[in-house]
Amino acid sequence: MSDIGDWFRSIPFITRSWFAASLAVPFIGKLGLVDFRHLLLDPELIFHKFHLWRPLTATLYFPITPNTGFLYLVNLYFLYHYSTRLETGAFDGKPADYIFMLLFNWICIVITGLLMNMRLLMIPLIMSVLYVWAQFNKDMVVSFWFGTRFKAHYLPWVILVFNFIIGGSFVNELTGNLVGHLYFFLMFKYPMDLGGRSFLSTPEFLYRYFPNRRGGVSGFGVPPSRRPAAQEPARGGGEGRHNWGQGFRLGGE
């Protein structure tokens, strides 16, 4: 048990909190301590009965049954694996920025869930984090099931197909991928690579509660003040493109 405790304490704080809640809430529903129907996203009950906890519990709850247990464990592993690598990699020392990413993705997913009558939001949020990790490490070759190897850029879409095969749906995965793409594009791609304005920034109150522990976020740059002039010569050899980080091997330490 001490080994499990040591492993759990070694998980970075934000991921550890999310991981623990994603264990606790499904088991609360499984054991019948709370009727699982009170944990689902329900627009009518949210807006007319003021069940304001439902957007949060719908993100943390997942039904654990003989038919869904494997899918739950797979996505719990994805949560641990990719959230840990983002928190200790690209967002190392920047907890406020990482929390803002989770909040932005969560709000977008809740809005989508309300519009599309989605009851469970765990998979979309996990997939949005996995998508952002894949964008930071898009040229790294990763290994997946049965020894298949491909660039990390394709990983979110491979997992979409994989979860469709074992779960019978791809709406959750597609929602997560699109939300993750929206965050990455608005926060990094558009202002840094395309010279556009910055639409997203971490609110100052998050920095007050979660101050930086070290220098700038790994791999992040400063948005250019203007677009490059059309007559400026193109740089060869990939110069001038943003460095999104070196990344990690899937399943590696």
Side-chain angles (χ1 to χ4, degrees):
M1 292 297 293
S2 62
D3 292 339
I4 296 177
D6 292 341
W7 166 78
F8 183 74
R9 286 187 292 271
S10 71
I11 303 174
F13 173 73
I14 299 171
T15 300
R16 183 169 71 241
S17 302
W18 183 14
F19 185 84
S22 297
L23 280 174
V25 174
F27 275 95
I28 288 173
K30 177 68 174 178
L31 297 175
L33 301 178
V34 175
D35 189 333
F36 76 92
R37 289 172 294 186
H38 294 308
L39 305 174
L40 306 178
L41 194 69
D42 189 318
E44 182 177 353
L45 293 177
I46 292 173
F47 294 114
H48 295 101
K49 300 282 187 177
F50 300 103
H51 290 191
L52 302 181
W53 66 84
R54 287 180 179 270
L56 179 60
T57 56
T59 308
L60 300 173
Y61 176 71
F62 196 87
I64 304 176
T65 69
N67 293 328
T68 63
F70 178 68
L71 181 60
Y72 168 66
L73 291 177
V74 167
N75 283 280
L76 202 63
Y77 168 76
F78 289 155
L79 186 165
Y80 160 73
H81 189 85
Y82 295 104
S83 181
T84 294
R85 276 149 180 74
L86 268 185
E87 189 175 351
T88 60
F91 291 91
D92 187 24
K94 284 283 205 174
D97 291 328
Y98 190 53
I99 290 174
F100 175 68
M101 185 201 76
L102 291 177
L103 286 174
F104 176 84
N105 290 1
W106 175 68
I107 291 171
C108 292
I109 288 168
V110 168
I111 293 173
T112 303
L114 293 172
L115 294 175
M116 298 183 61
N117 199 29
M118 298 166 64
R119 301 292 181 171
L120 299 172
L121 306 178
M122 175 184 280
I123 292 177
L125 186 59
I126 293 172
M127 287 299 300
S128 72
V129 170
L130 188 151
Y131 185 93
V132 173
W133 177 88
Q135 291 303 305
F136 276 115
N137 303 273
K138 59 184 179 180
D139 291 325
M140 185 182 66
V141 176
V142 299
S143 298
F144 197 61
W145 297 84
F146 310 113
T148 55
R149 293 168 60 83
F150 45 82
K151 289 187 177 182
H153 179 71
Y154 300 106
L155 181 61
W157 307 105
V158 171
I159 291 176
L160 182 150
V161 174
F162 173 78
N163 282 2
F164 174 73
I165 293 173
I166 66 175
S169 175
F170 62 85
V171 174
N172 289 323
E173 292 76 13
L174 181 61
T175 300
N177 288 353
L178 294 178
V179 168
H181 178 79
L182 178 65
Y183 168 81
F184 190 83
F185 181 81
L186 293 179
M187 180 63 88
F188 306 117
K189 187 71 175 177
Y190 183 64
M192 295 180 184
D193 278 1
L194 303 179
R197 59 171 295 188
S198 180
F199 289 99
L200 297 180
S201 62
T202 304
E204 287 298 325
F205 78 88
L206 286 178
Y207 288 120
R208 290 197 296 269
Y209 288 105
F210 303 96
N212 296 345
R213 295 191 299 269
R214 52 185 296 179
V217 177
S218 174
F220 293 3
V222 178
S225 58
R226 63 179 180 87
R227 294 179 181 272
Q231 66 270 22
E232 291 179 355
R235 298 181 180 180
E239 295 181 4
R241 293 189 59 81
H242 190 67
N243 176 20
W244 296 115
Q246 188 174 11
F248 301 85
R249 179 180 178 83
L250 179 64
E253 296 295 326

